[in-house]
Amino acid sequence: MSLGEFDLIKRFFQRARPQPGIDVGIGDDCAVWTPTPGRQMLVSSDMLVEGRHFLATVAPERLGHKALAVNLSDLAACGATPRGFTLALALPRADAAWLERFAAGLFALADAHDIPLIGGDTTAGPLNLCITVFGEAPRGQALLRSGATAGDDVYVSGQVGDARLALEVFRGALSLPGDEFERVRSAMEVPQPRVALGQALRGIASSAIDISDGLIGDLGHVLARSEVGCTLEVDALPRSSIMSVQRLAVQHLCTLSGGDDYELLFTAPVSARAAVESAARAADTPVARIGRIEERAGLRLVDAVGKAVPATFDSFDHFKTPHA
Ligand code: ADP
Ligand code: MG
């Protein structure tokens, strides 16, 4: 690399600011930190590969944001408080202008959550980003995929489907008015991890997951880990107004199997409805009740009057093109 590896780390990633709780940050063989007594540590890694997780056209600031956002979303799903992160980076070339913008997007989100970059690795190679996040939760209180029980309500935060709608526009399968396209494109490129909501749901939600691979698939993980089934009211899925005017097949594709939403899908007992609402208010994040956990295994889709919605996934086939 023209810009040396160590110069690059120093210039773009090492920041002279106090890092509470971090005893040694970037610069040694390991970062060293002191965990908070009585808390458990939560760790998650997510890798982003060009062409698969992002398009080459994405602005570097947005890529920096998204790389950290998808990781924070995993901490959010567990109700964890973020503490720090590492960044492993393969770069085709050391392009200072690109790195400047990437770091700006990355640190804007890091600062919003008050977490330091405490280490990483840097190498030449095809563009590839891997972030590992570290968080904490009071012992025994992390939200897990297991824990949903028959009778629980199923909720989702925010709105689902817009990121997938943007992807379909990029693929040329649909078109949208310019301002709507910019909005759904931001949903895809600048997702907002629901960190505050996850923490507010500790002690209230019985299970949780973040929607990264599509609502149905991710709900399936909760059902499998919790050994329960579910009836999902398709018409109750919160969606944007531009989504509501799409063909039904497109709506189903985007809201049910579209990915990259980074909303929280969670369950809670009926007795906790008021607590869920006040958690949502405290976190300033809307949540919608979309279904019910049942003893009978499997996922059943119904409309607003309880009529079975045929899983018309065949009609999605014409969208089936390689990812991104
Ligand atoms: P090692 O040879 O022990 O793997 P490196 O020479 O790769 O260490 O890295 C030197 C220091 O810089 C380490 O503290 C490492 O964590 C940090 N580092 C390397 N790459 C990055 C990066 N992309 N972002 C943040 N810190 C990094
Ligand atoms: Mg190294």
Side-chain angles (χ1 to χ4, degrees):
M1 291 188 177
S2 46
L3 183 67
E5 179 186 334
F6 299 105
D7 298 334
L8 184 160
I9 296 164
K10 206 161 164 191
R11 179 161 159 203
F12 298 106
F13 298 117
Q14 197 160 10
R15 303 203 300 171
R17 56 168 61 202
Q19 304 184 332
I22 307 298
D23 306 303
V24 180
I26 292 175
D28 216 300
D29 290 309
C30 287
V32 181
W33 92 34
T34 307
T36 311
R39 298 196 153 218
Q40 285 175 309
M41 197 169 126
L42 292 92
V43 183
S44 180
S45 292
D46 258 311
M47 193 187 292
L48 274 79
V49 177
E50 184 176 304
R52 176 145 279 275
H53 302 102
F54 60 91
L55 302 168
T57 51
V58 67
E61 294 85 352
R62 290 183 161 205
L63 186 59
H65 172 99
K66 186 166 179 177
L68 182 56
V70 303
N71 277 279
L72 287 175
S73 181
D74 284 317
L75 288 182
C78 289
T81 307
R83 288 292 310 273
F85 67 105
T86 60
L87 169 68
L89 201 54
L91 295 169
R93 68 200 79 79
D95 175 344
W98 189 94
L99 279 159
E100 188 103 46
R101 296 176 60 191
F102 173 83
L106 178 81
F107 285 123
L109 185 62
D111 291 348
H113 291 275
D114 207 16
I115 50 168
L117 174 60
I118 58 173
D121 200 24
T122 306
T123 177
L127 185 56
N128 187 318
L129 311 160
C130 181
I131 286 183
T132 299
V133 282
F134 303 87
E136 289 182 346
R139 180 167 297 284
Q141 285 188 33
L143 303 176
L144 302 175
R145 296 176 180 187
S146 54
T149 38
D152 282 358
D153 292 316
V154 180
Y155 297 85
V156 69
S157 66
Q159 292 179 332
V160 288
D162 281 352
R164 181 57 185 267
L165 199 55
L167 183 60
E168 295 303 332
V169 176
F170 274 112
R171 285 170 167 173
L174 323 152
S175 63
L176 292 177
D179 53 335
E180 285 297 343
F181 173 59
E182 282 311 319
R183 205 186 48 72
V184 296
R185 180 184 191 170
S186 294
M188 175 173 115
E189 295 181 342
V190 199
Q192 301 300 325
R194 301 302 195 180
V195 174
L197 179 64
Q199 290 177 67
L201 288 171
R202 285 199 308 243
I204 297 170
S206 50
S207 72
I209 190 169
D210 70 316
I211 306 179
S212 51
D213 297 330
L215 190 147
I216 284 198
D218 288 320
L219 174 56
H221 295 310
V222 169
L223 302 184
R225 297 280 291 198
S226 300
E227 297 178 28
V228 289
C230 176
T231 292
L232 191 71
E233 193 190 314
V234 172
D235 295 332
L237 295 182
R239 68 199 80 191
S240 63
S241 52
I242 194 73
M243 181 68 71
S244 309
V245 299
Q246 303 301 312
R247 287 188 296 122
L248 211 54
V250 173
Q251 290 192 37
H252 285 172
L253 167 76
C254 294
T255 60
L256 292 171
S257 49
D260 263 5
D261 290 313
Y262 301 104
E263 293 297 346
L264 296 189
L265 181 75
F266 60 96
T267 60
V270 173
S271 60
R273 279 185 189 175
V276 168
E277 269 179 26
S278 58
R281 254 196 316 277
D284 203 17
T285 308
V287 303
R289 192 145 39 85
I290 59 169
R292 176 64 62 92
I293 295 294
E294 291 153 351
E295 222 161 286
R296 178 157 75 97
L299 176 62
R300 293 158 286 282
L301 304 179
V302 299
D303 65 12
V305 294
K307 199 164 133 282
V309 171
T312 52
F313 291 93
D314 287 354
S315 55
F316 304 158
D317 273 10
H318 106 134
F319 290 105
K320 266 188 193 146
T321 48
H323 203 278

